[in-house]
């Protein structure tokens, strides 16, 4: 059964951040950190450390130095009856001086690579998990994977991010023994799909198919109607439509462009202007490298979009910073917005003018439902521009 876990940053969360800690002699455990990790161990909650170590790419120390630091911390923890279940670090940085490590990596926070690896290795349910750290990239990681962030440091301006003074306070919040806050254990007890291991693919397929049906049944069809009207009205006035998403959602955004540029023209007089902001790797990587990944969609809209245009965002969690920023920019510049979301919907669900929400906590199922919603909207728009006899003569 998938379980909730806690993903911890290292420097500034577990040990004192003195800048590029690459040797054992520079390791200093923060007060209360050992006891906090031991408390998570006692609650049978997996503890994973996910840390960016660009010092490797910058030539300040090597991969083996990082591993020795982690082995030393393991020894200190073990002496107190505590443990880290998995250590993960990213040695890459695009500005590095060591050629082997001087590149962009999907493991570097806030990208989700390390978290996804931990989820696969330890069977974690990331949507029920927490990310604890002292940097905005830790908050970004939490949003990228649909987890709940806890920020160590001064209170943030984001009401959805909880702030605490240290790791001990974060663990107290997670376990919630003497707090009015809902505890991690209570929330992770909710049934999710899959809720247990399947021994045969046919049974898994049977239940997976049923979960897709349940997820699609949760969609508010009134919002689907509003989304269709928004798209048709945009095409009537020759407005542009932009789509964006991350990961699997990026493929849905790209597919939307295909179906709304090429597909809708078959048998109709439509000549739409639809662009996926997720499709151009050159511009995506340039913006991400020079400005930040959270700006990759907003920056493009600043150049391409005009008032009255439409933005369609696809985000399973609805929390991705680049999605939220794109919606906020669109709202401030008189664009119409449609969001396809899942899980709890995140900020995207409330920021968008139209919210096509899938009530489901399985990423694959949410994305399948989003793909279906994308297809049905494209096919509805296409057939709405035809006569009944023409519809009957076409293949959809």
């Amino acid at each position: 059964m998938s379980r909730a876990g806690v993903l911890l940053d290292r420097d500034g969360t577990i040990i004192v951040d003195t800048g590029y800690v690459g040797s054992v002699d520079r390791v200093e455990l923060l007060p209360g950190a050992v006891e906090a990790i031991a408390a998570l161990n006692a609650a049978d909650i997996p503890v994973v450390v996910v840390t960016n170590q660009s010092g490797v790419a910058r030539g300040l120390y090597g991969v083996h130095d990082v591993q020795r630091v982690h082995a030393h911390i393991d020894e200190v923890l073990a002496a107190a009856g505590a443990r880290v279940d998995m250590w993960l670090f990213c040695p890459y940085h695009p500005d590095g001086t060591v050629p082997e490590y001087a590149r962009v990596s999907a493991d570097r926070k806030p990208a989700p690579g390390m978290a996804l690896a931990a989820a696969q290795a330890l069977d974690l349910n990331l949507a029920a998990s927490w990310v604890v750290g002292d940097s905005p990239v830790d908050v970004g990681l939490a949003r990228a994977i649909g987890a709940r962030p806890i920020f160590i440091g001064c209170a943030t301006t984001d009401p959805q991010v909880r702030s605490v003074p240290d790791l001990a306070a974060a663990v107290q919040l997670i376990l919630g023994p003497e707090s009015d806050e809902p505890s991690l254990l209570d929330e992770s007890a909710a049934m999710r799909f899959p809720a247990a291991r399947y021994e045969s693919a046919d049974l898994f397929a049977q239940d997976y198919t049923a979960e897709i049906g349940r997820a699609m049944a949760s969609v508010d069809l009134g919002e689907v109607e509003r989304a269709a009207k928004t798209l048709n009205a945009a095409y009537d006035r020759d407005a542009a439509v932009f789509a964006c998403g991350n990961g699997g959602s990026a493929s849905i955004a790209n597919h939307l462009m295909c179906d709304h540029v090429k597909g809708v023209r078959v048998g109709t007089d439509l000549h739409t202007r639809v662009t996926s902001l997720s499709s151009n790797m050159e511009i995506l990587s340039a913006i991400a490298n020079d400005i930040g990944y959270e700006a990759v969609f907003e920056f493009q809209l600043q150049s391409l979009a005009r008032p009255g245009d439409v933005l369609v965002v696809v985000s399973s969690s609805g929390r991705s910073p680049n999605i939220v920023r794109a919606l906020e920019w669109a709202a401030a510049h008189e664009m119409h917005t449609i969001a396809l979301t899942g899980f709890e919907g995140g900020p995207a669900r409330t920021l968008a003018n139209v919210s096509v929400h899938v009530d489901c906590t399985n990423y694959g199922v949410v994305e399948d439902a989003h793909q279906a919603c994308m297809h049905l909207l494209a096919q509805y728009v296409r057939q709405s521009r035809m006569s009944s006899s023409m519809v009957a003569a076409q293949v959809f």
Side-chain angles (χ1 to χ4, degrees):
M1 180 180 296
S2 295
R3 52 190 174 157
V6 176
L7 280 61
L8 300 178
D9 178 43
R10 194 191 77 175
D11 302 352
T13 301
I14 300 173
I15 66 174
V16 176
D17 185 359
T18 55
Y20 300 109
V21 178
S23 59
V24 170
D25 61 294
R26 296 187 62 200
V27 174
E28 180 183 352
L29 273 292
L30 285 164
V34 173
E35 294 79 6
I37 293 173
L40 292 173
N41 299 151
D44 197 28
I45 299 174
V47 177
V48 180
V49 174
V50 288
T51 175
N52 288 341
Q53 292 297 317
S54 67
V56 175
R58 299 177 193 277
L60 302 177
Y61 45 80
V63 166
H64 293 301
D65 296 314
V66 178
Q67 292 169 337
R68 280 189 282 269
V69 166
H70 294 171
H72 172 69
I73 299 174
D74 272 337
E75 292 175 1
V76 175
L77 292 173
R83 72 180 186 281
V84 167
D85 296 289
M86 190 173 188
W87 290 91
L88 293 167
F89 66 94
C90 177
Y92 304 101
H93 194 286
D95 297 331
T97 58
V98 180
E100 183 180 359
Y101 299 105
R103 64 174 177 83
V104 174
S105 172
D107 289 336
R108 181 170 175 78
K109 296 184 295 184
M114 289 189 287
L116 295 176
Q120 182 173 5
L122 299 176
D123 195 22
L124 301 182
N125 181 342
L126 294 177
S129 298
W130 294 84
V131 176
V132 183
D134 67 328
S135 167
V137 301
D138 298 304
V139 175
L141 172 63
R143 286 177 166 157
I145 62 176
R148 290 161 287 180
I150 297 182
F151 184 78
I152 293 178
C154 299
T156 70
T157 57
D158 189 334
Q160 294 189 335
V161 179
R162 298 166 180 172
S163 298
V164 293
D166 52 30
L167 180 56
V171 170
Q172 183 179 14
L173 178 61
I174 291 168
L175 299 180
E178 302 184 22
S179 169
D180 291 333
E181 297 282 355
S183 75
L184 175 63
L185 298 179
D186 293 338
E187 293 188 31
S188 65
M191 290 297 293
R192 299 174 183 271
F193 175 80
R197 175 175 172 164
Y198 286 76
E199 298 297 337
S200 65
D202 61 334
L203 291 177
F204 186 87
Q206 177 180 308
D207 287 356
Y208 188 95
T209 303
E211 186 68 11
I212 292 177
R214 190 202 64 76
M216 285 300 295
S218 73
V219 175
D220 183 343
L221 297 184
E223 291 299 287
V224 173
E225 171 71 5
R226 293 182 63 206
K229 287 182 176 179
T230 298
L231 292 170
N232 258 333
Y235 298 149
D236 286 340
R237 63 176 182 273
D238 193 31
V241 173
F242 301 93
C244 61
N246 297 289
S249 297
S251 69
I252 298 172
N254 293 345
H255 200 148
L256 184 150
M257 177 180 175
C258 174
D259 282 14
H260 283 256
V261 171
K262 192 272 181 185
V264 299
R265 285 187 62 179
V266 180
T268 77
D269 59 355
L270 273 179
H271 291 76
T272 61
R273 295 188 294 118
V274 183
T275 300
S276 172
L277 305 176
S278 300
S279 63
N280 189 307
M281 182 52 65
E282 291 80 3
I283 190 66
L284 283 170
S285 58
I287 299 168
N289 185 59
D290 296 344
I291 302 172
Y293 191 67
E294 67 279 0
V296 293
F297 303 137
E298 175 190 21
F299 190 91
Q300 293 183 74
L301 289 174
Q302 291 170 354
S303 296
L304 301 174
R306 299 292 182 267
D309 287 344
V310 175
L311 172 66
V312 181
V313 303
V314 187
S315 175
S316 293
S317 72
R319 298 177 180 176
S320 300
N322 52 16
I323 293 291
V324 173
R325 284 182 56 163
L327 283 170
E328 290 174 339
W329 189 92
H333 293 81
E334 300 179 6
M335 294 182 69
H336 303 274
T337 54
I338 301 169
L340 276 63
T341 61
F343 292 83
E344 295 179 356
R349 185 179 182 182
T350 54
L351 284 170
N353 302 129
V354 180
S355 176
V356 179
H357 179 70
V358 178
D359 185 13
C360 179
T361 57
N362 178 296
Y363 274 98
V365 173
V366 171
E367 290 177 358
D368 288 338
H370 284 169
Q371 183 82 335
C373 289
M374 183 279 295
H375 273 144
L376 72 87
L377 285 169
Q379 292 193 16
Y380 172 80
V381 168
R382 180 186 168 198
Q383 64 86 44
S384 71
R385 304 297 176 124
M386 301 178 184
S387 66
S388 292
S389 59
M390 180 65 76
V391 171
Q394 296 292 319
V395 176
F396 281 80

